[in-house]
Amino acid sequence: MSAQSLTARLRPYIPALEWIPNYQRSWLRGDVIAGITTATLLVPQAMSYALLGGLPPYIGLYASVLPMIVYAFFGTSRQLAVGPVALVALLVASGIGLMAPVGSERYIELTILLSLLVGAVFLLMGIFRLGFLTNFLSHPVISGFTSAAALIIAVSQIANLLGLSLPRSENIAETLWHALDQWQLIHRPTLIIGAVSLALLIGLKRLNKALPAAMITIAVTTLAVWALRLDEAGVAVVGSVPAGLPALSAPAFNLADALELLPMAIAIALIGFMESIAVARKYASERRYEINPNQELIGLGLANLVGAFSRAMPVAGGFGRTAVNANAGANSGLAPLITASLIAIALALLTPLFYFLPKAALAAVIMVAVAGLIDLHEVKHLWKVKRSDLGLLLFTFAATLALGAKDGLFLAVGASILWFVIKTTRPHYAVLGKLPGT
């Protein structure tokens, strides 16, 4: 069998064999710039989302290397940037936080097992061509869920932003009440670091959207903590980060834990796929190429499976990160390969620089990142166009705030399916007739 015929046979299973032989020199500049730009965004973002998920920040960096490389070969999107995302991190925290103390070794092991399960769910959905199931997650459900989740995520970072010790909870009212109750204990140096971080992130973004605001903010605040030795004054820092990439090893598998984590894995797979496919289709349409939803499921599945063997948290494609990658000029899977390589270099050589990185700055990065998920425009639009869908959006929003991310999502999906059945059994019809005198 010739190499050409072998490539043709493997192409449906390894989409990278489509762009690698046909790579154009004109693409290289855009791919290199996009790879570097996305890496400068992803380093602080990945560490922030790991912190949001109750994990050591370096777990987010692990999730940004091998999973990204695997997706570059097996995914069909040429712009999608795979890695840790805020909604998935929230679901990780809400599920595993009930099973183990946050940040403990068991917590980390359960997260790695969850990555394995998420990868298996993705892979099975792709093999059995179940991408259509996400049609039951209607746009109002997604909008309501992401808006509520964004609020939960933002409020959950108050403890890190103010230097308080608050019980971990998805109940916004409970978190705010505890914060108000402890206002006299607010750590002023931490508050100043958090306020400066928010000001830098918002100010730099308004000044020039092309600036790597997150990386600049992290660099400035880390230098400030190091120079003023604010860690000795009580400012929480990332601390020691293991140098180098983790050794590949099989996740610790326990059937009882796996069964308990399975509903969470299904929820993460549904949300992760919806977020990934929505943004992938947007840029594929703009650049006139096709996205294969079932192959996307396989690509995301393999990325999570490989991530589980490299101590990574679950991953998906992110809206903001993909937008940065695409707008910076990404033309092919080479861009994420460059991004992953730079993060691997940072893990190998630059980990001592992360020691003085303040957690308040990472909290600010999270809060600014999720602010864009609150979709007020959709509320105004549905009020004018279709108030029944607005009711579904508000129901999802309220259910997620009241019950938490996982239970709110499943209840909203059930309501969406019920509403679909009601609309299907009661189609719109009009009675036609002749008006008198016409």
mmCIF file of all heavy atoms in Angstrom, residues 302-351:
data_model
loop_
_atom_site.group_PDB
_atom_site.id
_atom_site.type_symbol
_atom_site.label_atom_id
_atom_site.label_comp_id
_atom_site.label_asym_id
_atom_site.label_seq_id
_atom_site.Cartn_x
_atom_site.Cartn_y
_atom_site.Cartn_z
ATOM 1 N N LEU A 302 -10.563 12.030 22.864
ATOM 2 C CA LEU A 302 -9.164 11.606 22.931
ATOM 3 C C LEU A 302 -8.324 12.618 23.711
ATOM 4 O O LEU A 302 -7.409 12.235 24.450
ATOM 5 C CB LEU A 302 -8.607 11.425 21.514
ATOM 6 C CG LEU A 302 -9.196 10.249 20.725
ATOM 7 C CD1 LEU A 302 -8.697 10.270 19.286
ATOM 8 C CD2 LEU A 302 -8.838 8.926 21.384
ATOM 9 N N ALA A 303 -8.638 13.911 23.556
ATOM 10 C CA ALA A 303 -7.907 14.944 24.299
ATOM 11 C C ALA A 303 -8.069 14.745 25.803
ATOM 12 O O ALA A 303 -7.101 14.847 26.569
ATOM 13 C CB ALA A 303 -8.399 16.332 23.886
ATOM 14 N N ASN A 304 -9.294 14.440 26.243
ATOM 15 C CA ASN A 304 -9.528 14.227 27.672
ATOM 16 C C ASN A 304 -8.933 12.914 28.169
ATOM 17 O O ASN A 304 -8.426 12.843 29.290
ATOM 18 C CB ASN A 304 -11.030 14.277 27.966
ATOM 19 C CG ASN A 304 -11.562 15.690 28.113
ATOM 20 O OD1 ASN A 304 -11.392 16.331 29.142
ATOM 21 N ND2 ASN A 304 -12.175 16.193 27.056
ATOM 22 N N LEU A 305 -9.003 11.873 27.334
ATOM 23 C CA LEU A 305 -8.415 10.590 27.733
ATOM 24 C C LEU A 305 -6.903 10.717 27.920
ATOM 25 O O LEU A 305 -6.352 10.247 28.926
ATOM 26 C CB LEU A 305 -8.728 9.529 26.683
ATOM 27 C CG LEU A 305 -10.168 9.003 26.639
ATOM 28 C CD1 LEU A 305 -10.348 8.040 25.476
ATOM 29 C CD2 LEU A 305 -10.536 8.309 27.953
ATOM 30 N N VAL A 306 -6.240 11.366 26.969
ATOM 31 C CA VAL A 306 -4.789 11.567 27.090
ATOM 32 C C VAL A 306 -4.493 12.479 28.274
ATOM 33 O O VAL A 306 -3.523 12.274 29.010
ATOM 34 C CB VAL A 306 -4.224 12.152 25.776
ATOM 35 C CG1 VAL A 306 -2.784 12.599 25.964
ATOM 36 C CG2 VAL A 306 -4.298 11.116 24.664
ATOM 37 N N GLY A 307 -5.367 13.492 28.480
ATOM 38 C CA GLY A 307 -5.193 14.380 29.621
ATOM 39 C C GLY A 307 -5.246 13.631 30.943
ATOM 40 O O GLY A 307 -4.493 13.929 31.878
ATOM 41 N N ALA A 308 -6.128 12.634 31.027
ATOM 42 C CA ALA A 308 -6.241 11.851 32.267
ATOM 43 C C ALA A 308 -4.944 11.101 32.565
ATOM 44 O O ALA A 308 -4.602 10.879 33.730
ATOM 45 C CB ALA A 308 -7.399 10.862 32.146
ATOM 46 N N PHE A 309 -4.198 10.726 31.542
ATOM 47 C CA PHE A 309 -2.929 10.012 31.741
ATOM 48 C C PHE A 309 -1.781 10.981 32.014
ATOM 49 O O PHE A 309 -0.664 10.551 32.290
ATOM 50 C CB PHE A 309 -2.614 9.139 30.523
ATOM 51 C CG PHE A 309 -3.411 7.864 30.484
ATOM 52 C CD1 PHE A 309 -4.701 7.848 29.976
ATOM 53 C CD2 PHE A 309 -2.890 6.685 30.992
ATOM 54 C CE1 PHE A 309 -5.459 6.682 29.950
ATOM 55 C CE2 PHE A 309 -3.630 5.510 30.981
ATOM 56 C CZ PHE A 309 -4.920 5.511 30.461
ATOM 57 N N SER A 310 -2.034 12.300 31.906
ATOM 58 C CA SER A 310 -0.996 13.297 32.199
ATOM 59 C C SER A 310 -1.440 14.231 33.315
ATOM 60 O O SER A 310 -1.043 15.390 33.369
ATOM 61 C CB SER A 310 -0.649 14.095 30.933
ATOM 62 O OG SER A 310 -1.798 14.763 30.425
ATOM 63 N N ARG A 311 -2.322 13.727 34.218
ATOM 64 C CA ARG A 311 -2.761 14.437 35.420
ATOM 65 C C ARG A 311 -3.423 15.779 35.102
ATOM 66 O O ARG A 311 -3.158 16.797 35.754
ATOM 67 C CB ARG A 311 -1.598 14.635 36.408
ATOM 68 C CG ARG A 311 -1.025 13.332 36.931
ATOM 69 C CD ARG A 311 0.035 13.549 37.981
ATOM 70 N NE ARG A 311 -0.484 14.175 39.193
ATOM 71 C CZ ARG A 311 -1.157 13.542 40.143
ATOM 72 N NH1 ARG A 311 -1.408 12.239 40.029
ATOM 73 N NH2 ARG A 311 -1.576 14.174 41.223
ATOM 74 N N ALA A 312 -4.285 15.781 34.098
ATOM 75 C CA ALA A 312 -4.956 17.019 33.672
ATOM 76 C C ALA A 312 -6.411 17.028 34.122
ATOM 77 O O ALA A 312 -7.026 15.980 34.320
ATOM 78 C CB ALA A 312 -4.884 17.158 32.151
ATOM 79 N N MET A 313 -6.979 18.217 34.269
ATOM 80 C CA MET A 313 -8.399 18.378 34.525
ATOM 81 C C MET A 313 -9.154 18.266 33.195
ATOM 82 O O MET A 313 -8.539 18.335 32.119
ATOM 83 C CB MET A 313 -8.665 19.744 35.176
ATOM 84 C CG MET A 313 -8.288 20.928 34.302
ATOM 85 S SD MET A 313 -8.330 22.519 35.197
ATOM 86 C CE MET A 313 -10.103 22.668 35.521
ATOM 87 N N PRO A 314 -10.486 18.084 33.204
ATOM 88 C CA PRO A 314 -11.237 17.993 31.938
ATOM 89 C C PRO A 314 -11.097 19.261 31.102
ATOM 90 O O PRO A 314 -10.981 20.367 31.641
ATOM 91 C CB PRO A 314 -12.688 17.807 32.415
ATOM 92 C CG PRO A 314 -12.574 17.224 33.782
ATOM 93 C CD PRO A 314 -11.351 17.836 34.377
ATOM 94 N N VAL A 315 -11.102 19.082 29.781
ATOM 95 C CA VAL A 315 -10.898 20.206 28.863
ATOM 96 C C VAL A 315 -12.011 20.271 27.826
ATOM 97 O O VAL A 315 -12.735 19.304 27.594
ATOM 98 C CB VAL A 315 -9.537 20.099 28.137
ATOM 99 C CG1 VAL A 315 -8.381 20.134 29.113
ATOM 100 C CG2 VAL A 315 -9.472 18.828 27.274
ATOM 101 N N ALA A 316 -12.133 21.454 27.215
ATOM 102 C CA ALA A 316 -13.069 21.686 26.106
ATOM 103 C C ALA A 316 -12.558 22.899 25.349
ATOM 104 O O ALA A 316 -11.523 23.479 25.703
ATOM 105 C CB ALA A 316 -14.489 21.905 26.626
ATOM 106 N N GLY A 317 -13.270 23.298 24.302
ATOM 107 C CA GLY A 317 -12.911 24.500 23.568
ATOM 108 C C GLY A 317 -13.529 25.716 24.227
ATOM 109 O O GLY A 317 -14.692 25.680 24.632
ATOM 110 N N GLY A 318 -12.770 26.801 24.359
ATOM 111 C CA GLY A 318 -13.266 28.002 25.031
ATOM 112 C C GLY A 318 -13.621 29.101 24.049
ATOM 113 O O GLY A 318 -12.946 29.275 23.031
ATOM 114 N N PHE A 319 -14.683 29.866 24.356
ATOM 115 C CA PHE A 319 -15.106 30.975 23.492
ATOM 116 C C PHE A 319 -14.014 32.027 23.341
ATOM 117 O O PHE A 319 -13.544 32.315 22.240
ATOM 118 C CB PHE A 319 -16.357 31.651 24.089
ATOM 119 C CG PHE A 319 -17.634 30.880 23.891
ATOM 120 C CD1 PHE A 319 -18.373 30.455 24.983
ATOM 121 C CD2 PHE A 319 -18.102 30.587 22.625
ATOM 122 C CE1 PHE A 319 -19.547 29.745 24.823
ATOM 123 C CE2 PHE A 319 -19.271 29.871 22.450
ATOM 124 C CZ PHE A 319 -20.003 29.459 23.546
ATOM 125 N N GLY A 320 -13.614 32.632 24.468
ATOM 126 C CA GLY A 320 -12.664 33.741 24.428
ATOM 127 C C GLY A 320 -11.320 33.344 23.877
ATOM 128 O O GLY A 320 -10.727 34.047 23.055
ATOM 129 N N ARG A 321 -10.812 32.194 24.313
ATOM 130 C CA ARG A 321 -9.489 31.737 23.887
ATOM 131 C C ARG A 321 -9.471 31.441 22.387
ATOM 132 O O ARG A 321 -8.514 31.762 21.687
ATOM 133 C CB ARG A 321 -9.116 30.496 24.694
ATOM 134 C CG ARG A 321 -7.696 30.060 24.546
ATOM 135 C CD ARG A 321 -7.320 29.108 25.659
ATOM 136 N NE ARG A 321 -8.176 27.934 25.717
ATOM 137 C CZ ARG A 321 -8.955 27.635 26.758
ATOM 138 N NH1 ARG A 321 -9.007 28.433 27.808
ATOM 139 N NH2 ARG A 321 -9.688 26.541 26.762
ATOM 140 N N THR A 322 -10.557 30.829 21.881
ATOM 141 C CA THR A 322 -10.639 30.543 20.442
ATOM 142 C C THR A 322 -10.723 31.829 19.637
ATOM 143 O O THR A 322 -10.124 31.941 18.561
ATOM 144 C CB THR A 322 -11.853 29.645 20.151
ATOM 145 O OG1 THR A 322 -11.704 28.423 20.869
ATOM 146 C CG2 THR A 322 -11.955 29.333 18.664
ATOM 147 N N ALA A 323 -11.457 32.820 20.164
ATOM 148 C CA ALA A 323 -11.550 34.112 19.479
ATOM 149 C C ALA A 323 -10.177 34.761 19.366
ATOM 150 O O ALA A 323 -9.811 35.304 18.310
ATOM 151 C CB ALA A 323 -12.517 35.033 20.222
ATOM 152 N N VAL A 324 -9.400 34.697 20.446
ATOM 153 C CA VAL A 324 -8.040 35.253 20.422
ATOM 154 C C VAL A 324 -7.190 34.508 19.400
ATOM 155 O O VAL A 324 -6.461 35.112 18.604
ATOM 156 C CB VAL A 324 -7.406 35.164 21.827
ATOM 157 C CG1 VAL A 324 -5.907 35.444 21.772
ATOM 158 C CG2 VAL A 324 -8.090 36.134 22.778
ATOM 159 N N ASN A 325 -7.279 33.184 19.407
ATOM 160 C CA ASN A 325 -6.504 32.361 18.480
ATOM 161 C C ASN A 325 -6.852 32.684 17.028
ATOM 162 O O ASN A 325 -5.971 32.862 16.179
ATOM 163 C CB ASN A 325 -6.782 30.882 18.774
ATOM 164 C CG ASN A 325 -5.827 29.943 18.074
ATOM 165 O OD1 ASN A 325 -4.613 30.147 18.070
ATOM 166 N ND2 ASN A 325 -6.365 28.896 17.472
ATOM 167 N N ALA A 326 -8.165 32.773 16.746
ATOM 168 C CA ALA A 326 -8.618 33.046 15.377
ATOM 169 C C ALA A 326 -8.239 34.458 14.936
ATOM 170 O O ALA A 326 -7.728 34.662 13.824
ATOM 171 C CB ALA A 326 -10.125 32.848 15.277
ATOM 172 N N ASN A 327 -8.476 35.437 15.800
ATOM 173 C CA ASN A 327 -8.200 36.827 15.439
ATOM 174 C C ASN A 327 -6.704 37.116 15.311
ATOM 175 O O ASN A 327 -6.306 38.064 14.619
ATOM 176 C CB ASN A 327 -8.827 37.777 16.461
ATOM 177 C CG ASN A 327 -10.349 37.714 16.447
ATOM 178 O OD1 ASN A 327 -10.947 37.377 15.427
ATOM 179 N ND2 ASN A 327 -10.979 38.027 17.561
ATOM 180 N N ALA A 328 -5.890 36.294 15.973
ATOM 181 C CA ALA A 328 -4.440 36.468 15.860
ATOM 182 C C ALA A 328 -3.899 35.874 14.565
ATOM 183 O O ALA A 328 -2.728 36.086 14.230
ATOM 184 C CB ALA A 328 -3.742 35.833 17.052
ATOM 185 N N GLY A 329 -4.745 35.121 13.826
ATOM 186 C CA GLY A 329 -4.338 34.630 12.506
ATOM 187 C C GLY A 329 -4.181 33.140 12.362
ATOM 188 O O GLY A 329 -3.584 32.676 11.377
ATOM 189 N N ALA A 330 -4.709 32.326 13.291
ATOM 190 C CA ALA A 330 -4.565 30.864 13.192
ATOM 191 C C ALA A 330 -5.197 30.342 11.906
ATOM 192 O O ALA A 330 -6.343 30.657 11.599
ATOM 193 C CB ALA A 330 -5.219 30.192 14.393
ATOM 194 N N ASN A 331 -4.448 29.542 11.169
ATOM 195 C CA ASN A 331 -4.922 28.981 9.903
ATOM 196 C C ASN A 331 -5.018 27.465 9.915
ATOM 197 O O ASN A 331 -5.630 26.879 9.030
ATOM 198 C CB ASN A 331 -3.974 29.391 8.757
ATOM 199 C CG ASN A 331 -3.961 30.884 8.528
ATOM 200 O OD1 ASN A 331 -4.995 31.480 8.249
ATOM 201 N ND2 ASN A 331 -2.790 31.500 8.653
ATOM 202 N N SER A 332 -4.384 26.820 10.901
ATOM 203 C CA SER A 332 -4.340 25.359 10.908
ATOM 204 C C SER A 332 -4.050 24.865 12.325
ATOM 205 O O SER A 332 -3.884 25.655 13.258
ATOM 206 C CB SER A 332 -3.250 24.853 9.957
ATOM 207 O OG SER A 332 -1.969 25.137 10.496
ATOM 208 N N GLY A 333 -3.935 23.555 12.466
ATOM 209 C CA GLY A 333 -3.618 22.949 13.746
ATOM 210 C C GLY A 333 -2.199 23.214 14.214
ATOM 211 O O GLY A 333 -1.850 22.853 15.346
ATOM 212 N N LEU A 334 -1.376 23.864 13.379
ATOM 213 C CA LEU A 334 -0.019 24.196 13.810
ATOM 214 C C LEU A 334 -0.039 25.203 14.958
ATOM 215 O O LEU A 334 0.809 25.150 15.852
ATOM 216 C CB LEU A 334 0.792 24.748 12.637
ATOM 217 C CG LEU A 334 2.234 25.159 12.950
ATOM 218 C CD1 LEU A 334 3.044 23.956 13.433
ATOM 219 C CD2 LEU A 334 2.897 25.792 11.718
ATOM 220 N N ALA A 335 -1.023 26.124 14.948
ATOM 221 C CA ALA A 335 -1.103 27.162 15.994
ATOM 222 C C ALA A 335 -1.225 26.547 17.392
ATOM 223 O O ALA A 335 -0.447 26.913 18.287
ATOM 224 C CB ALA A 335 -2.253 28.115 15.703
ATOM 225 N N PRO A 336 -2.167 25.617 17.635
ATOM 226 C CA PRO A 336 -2.214 25.011 18.971
ATOM 227 C C PRO A 336 -0.987 24.172 19.301
ATOM 228 O O PRO A 336 -0.626 24.045 20.480
ATOM 229 C CB PRO A 336 -3.483 24.151 18.936
ATOM 230 C CG PRO A 336 -3.827 23.982 17.502
ATOM 231 C CD PRO A 336 -3.316 25.205 16.820
ATOM 232 N N LEU A 337 -0.331 23.607 18.294
ATOM 233 C CA LEU A 337 0.902 22.859 18.560
ATOM 234 C C LEU A 337 1.986 23.805 19.089
ATOM 235 O O LEU A 337 2.743 23.452 20.002
ATOM 236 C CB LEU A 337 1.387 22.158 17.291
ATOM 237 C CG LEU A 337 0.493 21.032 16.750
ATOM 238 C CD1 LEU A 337 1.077 20.458 15.465
ATOM 239 C CD2 LEU A 337 0.313 19.929 17.791
ATOM 240 N N ILE A 338 2.041 25.016 18.542
ATOM 241 C CA ILE A 338 3.006 26.017 19.021
ATOM 242 C C ILE A 338 2.641 26.454 20.437
ATOM 243 O O ILE A 338 3.498 26.567 21.318
ATOM 244 C CB ILE A 338 3.047 27.222 18.056
ATOM 245 C CG1 ILE A 338 3.646 26.790 16.707
ATOM 246 C CG2 ILE A 338 3.844 28.378 18.656
ATOM 247 C CD1 ILE A 338 3.533 27.835 15.613
ATOM 248 N N THR A 339 1.326 26.692 20.670
ATOM 249 C CA THR A 339 0.864 27.087 22.008
ATOM 250 C C THR A 339 1.246 26.039 23.044
ATOM 251 O O THR A 339 1.795 26.354 24.110
ATOM 252 C CB THR A 339 -0.663 27.278 22.009
ATOM 253 O OG1 THR A 339 -1.011 28.332 21.106
ATOM 254 C CG2 THR A 339 -1.170 27.628 23.395
ATOM 255 N N ALA A 340 0.954 24.773 22.748
ATOM 256 C CA ALA A 340 1.255 23.685 23.683
ATOM 257 C C ALA A 340 2.759 23.576 23.938
ATOM 258 O O ALA A 340 3.191 23.327 25.070
ATOM 259 C CB ALA A 340 0.714 22.367 23.138
ATOM 260 N N SER A 341 3.560 23.776 22.900
ATOM 261 C CA SER A 341 5.018 23.696 23.046
ATOM 262 C C SER A 341 5.532 24.795 23.970
ATOM 263 O O SER A 341 6.408 24.553 24.822
ATOM 264 C CB SER A 341 5.694 23.823 21.675
ATOM 265 O OG SER A 341 5.271 22.788 20.817
ATOM 266 N N LEU A 342 4.988 26.009 23.829
ATOM 267 C CA LEU A 342 5.418 27.125 24.684
ATOM 268 C C LEU A 342 5.034 26.887 26.145
ATOM 269 O O LEU A 342 5.794 27.217 27.062
ATOM 270 C CB LEU A 342 4.799 28.434 24.177
ATOM 271 C CG LEU A 342 5.340 28.938 22.832
ATOM 272 C CD1 LEU A 342 4.552 30.140 22.352
ATOM 273 C CD2 LEU A 342 6.823 29.291 22.950
ATOM 274 N N ILE A 343 3.850 26.306 26.367
ATOM 275 C CA ILE A 343 3.427 26.022 27.744
ATOM 276 C C ILE A 343 4.299 24.910 28.343
ATOM 277 O O ILE A 343 4.657 24.944 29.522
ATOM 278 C CB ILE A 343 1.931 25.656 27.783
ATOM 279 C CG1 ILE A 343 1.102 26.885 27.404
ATOM 280 C CG2 ILE A 343 1.522 25.147 29.162
ATOM 281 C CD1 ILE A 343 -0.363 26.633 27.247
ATOM 282 N N ALA A 344 4.666 23.932 27.511
ATOM 283 C CA ALA A 344 5.573 22.873 27.972
ATOM 284 C C ALA A 344 6.934 23.461 28.355
ATOM 285 O O ALA A 344 7.525 23.064 29.373
ATOM 286 C CB ALA A 344 5.740 21.820 26.881
ATOM 287 N N ILE A 345 7.411 24.425 27.568
ATOM 288 C CA ILE A 345 8.687 25.095 27.887
ATOM 289 C C ILE A 345 8.562 25.859 29.209
ATOM 290 O O ILE A 345 9.465 25.847 30.046
ATOM 291 C CB ILE A 345 9.100 26.040 26.733
ATOM 292 C CG1 ILE A 345 9.483 25.215 25.497
ATOM 293 C CG2 ILE A 345 10.250 26.949 27.151
ATOM 294 C CD1 ILE A 345 9.666 26.035 24.232
ATOM 295 N N ALA A 346 7.415 26.540 29.387
ATOM 296 C CA ALA A 346 7.187 27.272 30.641
ATOM 297 C C ALA A 346 7.193 26.322 31.842
ATOM 298 O O ALA A 346 7.761 26.643 32.892
ATOM 299 C CB ALA A 346 5.848 28.022 30.559
ATOM 300 N N LEU A 347 6.579 25.149 31.680
ATOM 301 C CA LEU A 347 6.572 24.159 32.764
ATOM 302 C C LEU A 347 7.978 23.633 33.052
ATOM 303 O O LEU A 347 8.321 23.349 34.198
ATOM 304 C CB LEU A 347 5.646 22.996 32.407
ATOM 305 C CG LEU A 347 4.160 23.208 32.698
ATOM 306 C CD1 LEU A 347 3.322 22.139 32.007
ATOM 307 C CD2 LEU A 347 3.904 23.178 34.199
ATOM 308 N N ALA A 348 8.778 23.509 31.998
ATOM 309 C CA ALA A 348 10.121 22.948 32.166
ATOM 310 C C ALA A 348 11.106 23.958 32.753
ATOM 311 O O ALA A 348 11.971 23.591 33.563
ATOM 312 C CB ALA A 348 10.637 22.448 30.820
ATOM 313 N N LEU A 349 10.965 25.240 32.370
ATOM 314 C CA LEU A 349 12.004 26.212 32.700
ATOM 315 C C LEU A 349 11.566 27.376 33.585
ATOM 316 O O LEU A 349 12.395 27.982 34.265
ATOM 317 C CB LEU A 349 12.591 26.792 31.397
ATOM 318 C CG LEU A 349 13.157 25.792 30.391
ATOM 319 C CD1 LEU A 349 13.592 26.516 29.126
ATOM 320 C CD2 LEU A 349 14.317 25.016 30.996
ATOM 321 N N LEU A 350 10.279 27.713 33.576
ATOM 322 C CA LEU A 350 9.852 28.974 34.193
ATOM 323 C C LEU A 350 9.044 28.806 35.478
ATOM 324 O O LEU A 350 8.524 29.789 36.007
ATOM 325 C CB LEU A 350 9.031 29.791 33.184
ATOM 326 C CG LEU A 350 9.702 30.085 31.837
ATOM 327 C CD1 LEU A 350 8.762 30.888 30.948
ATOM 328 C CD2 LEU A 350 11.019 30.848 32.045
ATOM 329 N N THR A 351 8.913 27.581 35.980
ATOM 330 C CA THR A 351 8.059 27.386 37.156
ATOM 331 C C THR A 351 8.505 28.179 38.389
ATOM 332 O O THR A 351 7.646 28.584 39.182
ATOM 333 C CB THR A 351 7.953 25.888 37.514
ATOM 334 O OG1 THR A 351 9.272 25.327 37.609
ATOM 335 C CG2 THR A 351 7.160 25.142 36.461
#
